[in-house]
């Protein structure tokens, strides 16, 4: 019995060892997988098991939890926005009701104000209404008076501009004749006189109130003080313009006085070349042109030209001689006043007579070679107080046409 038992125990030990090894092996594999049992809904179906890797199962569970968290957050945010929208809608409704209430109050206040204004206007007495109307009439009269003053101011300014333009034109014309020596001196006197007149006028203006050169008409509407102020300013402006007009007249009178002094020189002073050409023999001592011995004093200048060329008066004046003169041939002498006379000799013929008045540029004779002459030319002399002078300084202008 003992041996037999020992034999069984001996055979049983190896078997127990293998089972334990088997169990250990399976437990190690079970750690990597998770078994899922699938139970069908119908009774006859077979139950199935599904082995899923443990890591994949964990990933699925985590993803499900994350998605659930996101969905929950979005839902809570949506609920927050819905609450805000409801609150805003309620606030807008309250604001709209307040606006309607304010609009009604404003309309009522406006209506009350209109009614109060109408009542105040009705409360005006007839005397107050008449006084207001009288003030309006006075304002209109002042307005008409101001308009008349403005018309007068415009007319004065127009006259001043016209006189100033006329004065400037006269000064320019006289200045252009300053090439005539006596006129140049008189022009200097005139310019000094004009400056003195303006200086005296400036002193007078400094003593007068300073008034703007232009005052705009303002609306009246019964404001008599503004109307009176504007009228006073316009009247001051009118006074200044009258002073300026008087100054312009004084300046013109001054120019006219000086022009009268210049008149003899303006019209009569011999500044014109009698003919076009160049001087062949000048003023002063020269050899005898006829070929004789010795020298002679040439009292004028010789200007060669073709026979028949018109000779013009160098300045305005009176013909004092027109005829034959020994040595000069056909000769014309013109008295220009101020002790100045001119002589035109060797003419083929004369076209003026003694006592005739001529103007600067008038034809008085024609070029020839009469008298003591070597060929056709004009012998031209200038005498001042009976003394022959060099004509060249007097020859300042050429005939323009």
């Amino acid at each position: 019995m003992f041996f037999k038992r020992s034999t069984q125990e001996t055979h049983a030990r190896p078997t127990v060892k293998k089972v334990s090894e088997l169990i250990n092996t399976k437990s190690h594999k079970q750690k990597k997988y998770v078994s899922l049992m699938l139970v069908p809904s119908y009774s006859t179906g077979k139950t199935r098991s599904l082995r899923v890797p443990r890591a994949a199962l964990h990933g699925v569970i985590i993803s499900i939890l994350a998605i659930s968290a996101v969905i929950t957050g979005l839902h809570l945010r949506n609920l927050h926005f819905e609450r805000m929208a409801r609150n805003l809608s309620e606030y807008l409704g309250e604001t709209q009701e307040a606006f309607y209430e304010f609009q009604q109050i404003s309309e009522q206040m406006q209506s009350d104000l209109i009614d109060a204004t109408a009542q105040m206007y009705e409360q005006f007495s007839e005397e107050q209404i008449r006084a207001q109307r009288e003030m309006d009439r006075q304002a209109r009269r002042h307005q008409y008076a101001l308009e008349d003053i403005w018309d007068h101011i415009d007319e004065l300014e127009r006259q001043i501009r016209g006189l100033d333009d006329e004065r400037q034109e006269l000064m320019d014309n006289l200045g252009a004749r300053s090439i005539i020596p006596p006129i140049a001196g008189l022009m200097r006197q005139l310019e000094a006189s004009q400056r003195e007149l303006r200086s005296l006028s400036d002193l007078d203006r400094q003593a007068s109130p300073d008034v703007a050169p232009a005052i705009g008409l303002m609306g009246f509407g019964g404001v008599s003080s503004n109307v009176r102020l504007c009228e006073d300013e316009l009247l001051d402006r009118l006074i200044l313009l009258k002073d300026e007009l008087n100054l312009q007249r004084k300046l013109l009178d001054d120019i006219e006085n000086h022009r009268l002094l210049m008149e003899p020189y303006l019209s009569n002073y011999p500044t014109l070349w009698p003919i076009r050409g160049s001087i062949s023999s000048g003023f002063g001592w020269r050899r005898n042109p006829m070929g004789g011995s010795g020298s002679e004093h040439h009292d004028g200048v010789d200007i060669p030209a073709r026979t028949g060329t018109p000779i013009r008066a160098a300045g305005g004046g009176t013909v004092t001689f027109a005829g034959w003169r020994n040595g000069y041939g056909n000769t014309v002498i013109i008295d220009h006043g101020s002790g100045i006379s001119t002589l035109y000799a060797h003419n083929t013929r004369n076209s003026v007579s003694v006592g005739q008045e001529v103007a600067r540029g008038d034809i008085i004779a024609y070029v020839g070679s009469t008298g003591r002459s070597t060929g056709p030319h004009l012998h031209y002399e200038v005498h001042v107080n009976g003394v022959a002078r060099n004509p060249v300084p007097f020859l300042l202008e050429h005939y323009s046409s």
Side-chain angles (χ1 to χ4, degrees):
M1 286 298 289
F2 180 78
F3 177 77
K4 188 175 180 177
R5 186 177 179 182
S6 301
T7 305
Q8 289 177 353
E9 290 177 356
T10 304
H11 286 289
R13 289 175 182 172
T15 303
V16 173
K17 183 178 180 180
K18 290 180 180 180
V19 172
S20 62
E21 292 178 356
L22 180 61
I23 291 171
N24 292 334
T25 302
K26 288 182 179 180
S27 64
H28 178 69
K29 291 181 179 181
Q30 287 175 353
K31 292 179 180 179
K32 295 182 179 180
Y33 297 91
V34 175
S35 296
L36 299 176
M37 184 175 292
L38 302 177
V39 180
S41 58
Y42 50 91
S43 60
T44 58
K46 295 181 179 181
T47 300
R48 298 191 181 195
S49 62
L50 178 64
R51 286 176 42 177
V52 179
R54 189 180 297 273
L57 181 62
H58 291 170
V60 170
I61 293 172
I62 291 171
S63 298
I64 292 171
L65 292 175
I67 292 171
S68 299
V70 170
I71 293 173
T72 301
L74 291 175
H75 179 68
L76 294 175
R77 187 178 182 84
N78 185 41
L79 292 176
H80 174 69
F81 284 140
E82 287 180 355
R83 283 194 302 273
M84 289 180 63
R86 284 194 299 272
N87 293 336
L88 182 60
S89 178
E90 293 175 358
Y91 178 74
L92 289 176
E94 294 174 357
T95 303
Q96 188 174 11
E97 291 178 359
F99 173 75
Y100 289 151
E101 183 179 355
F102 174 75
Q103 187 177 20
Q104 292 176 357
I105 294 173
S106 299
E107 291 175 354
Q108 183 62 38
M109 290 179 65
Q110 184 178 8
S111 178
D112 295 342
L113 181 61
I114 293 173
D115 294 340
T117 303
Q119 292 176 2
M120 289 177 62
Y121 186 77
E122 290 175 357
Q123 290 174 359
F124 272 116
S125 64
E126 288 296 327
E127 182 179 355
Q128 290 173 323
I129 294 175
R130 284 195 300 270
Q132 182 64 36
R133 289 176 179 173
E134 180 60 26
M135 290 177 64
D136 292 340
R137 281 195 295 270
Q138 291 179 3
R140 283 194 294 271
R141 282 198 298 269
H142 278 102
Q143 182 176 4
Y144 296 149
L146 291 180
E147 290 175 353
D148 291 340
I149 295 174
W150 264 113
D151 292 340
H152 196 186
I153 286 176
D154 290 340
E155 177 62 22
L156 288 177
E157 289 179 343
R158 186 190 64 78
Q159 293 181 17
I160 290 172
R161 287 192 297 269
L163 292 176
D164 187 62
D165 293 341
E166 180 182 355
R167 182 188 62 82
Q168 190 62 46
E169 184 179 359
L170 288 173
M171 291 292 291
D172 292 342
N173 291 336
L174 294 176
R177 304 301 296 165
S178 293
I179 58 176
I180 301 174
I183 291 181
L186 290 172
M187 277 300 297
R188 288 191 292 270
Q189 295 179 13
L190 174 59
E191 291 170 354
S193 177
Q194 294 276 301
R195 287 194 297 270
E196 183 178 359
L197 287 174
R198 284 203 171 274
S199 176
L200 293 175
S201 176
D202 290 339
L203 291 177
D204 292 340
R205 288 179 183 177
Q206 290 177 4
S208 63
D210 185 14
V211 180
I215 307 171
L217 288 175
M218 62 182 69
F220 299 101
V223 186
S224 59
S225 60
N226 289 338
V227 173
R228 177 59 60 185
L229 176 62
C230 184
E231 184 176 354
D232 292 341
E233 292 175 343
L234 287 176
L235 290 174
D236 290 338
R237 173 65 177 167
L238 190 60
I239 293 173
L240 290 180
L241 289 175
K242 287 181 177 179
D243 292 341
E244 179 65 22
L245 184 62
N246 291 331
L247 172 63
Q248 289 294 331
R249 288 171 176 166
K250 290 179 181 179
L251 293 173
L252 282 174
D253 291 341
D254 184 50
I255 293 174
E256 180 61 23
N257 293 335
H258 282 80
R259 193 192 68 80
L260 291 176
L261 297 176
M262 299 176 187
E263 183 61 32
Y265 307 105
L266 289 172
S267 59
N268 296 344
Y269 201 84
T271 58
L272 188 69
W273 282 71
I275 62 173
R276 290 184 178 273
S278 57
I279 297 174
S280 61
S281 180
F283 178 84
W285 291 96
R286 67 176 182 176
R287 287 185 168 225
N288 189 341
M290 306 305 294
S293 61
S295 60
E296 64 180 10
H297 190 272
H298 192 217
D299 289 341
V301 295
D302 292 340
I303 307 173
R306 293 195 309 176
T307 300
T309 300
I311 300 172
R312 301 181 183 276
T318 304
V319 178
T320 58
F321 182 86
W324 186 271
R325 196 170 187 179
N326 290 334
Y328 288 93
N330 288 322
T331 303
V332 173
I333 298 176
I334 301 175
D335 181 10
H336 301 285
S338 303
I340 302 174
S341 63
T342 53
L343 179 146
Y344 312 80
H346 303 311
N347 310 327
T348 185
R349 65 184 179 89
N350 300 331
S351 60
V352 293
S353 57
V354 175
Q356 182 177 341
E357 297 290 334
V358 295
R360 179 187 285 109
D362 286 350
I363 297 175
I364 58 174
Y366 297 89
V367 172
S369 186
T370 60
R372 187 170 175 265
S373 172
T374 58
H377 71 281
L378 167 66
H379 174 78
Y380 176 63
E381 296 181 8
V382 176
H383 293 255
V384 179
N385 296 323
V387 179
R389 302 285 295 273
N390 186 359
V392 172
F394 293 84
L395 299 175
L396 302 174
E397 301 174 279
H398 285 284
Y399 190 69
S400 59
S401 60

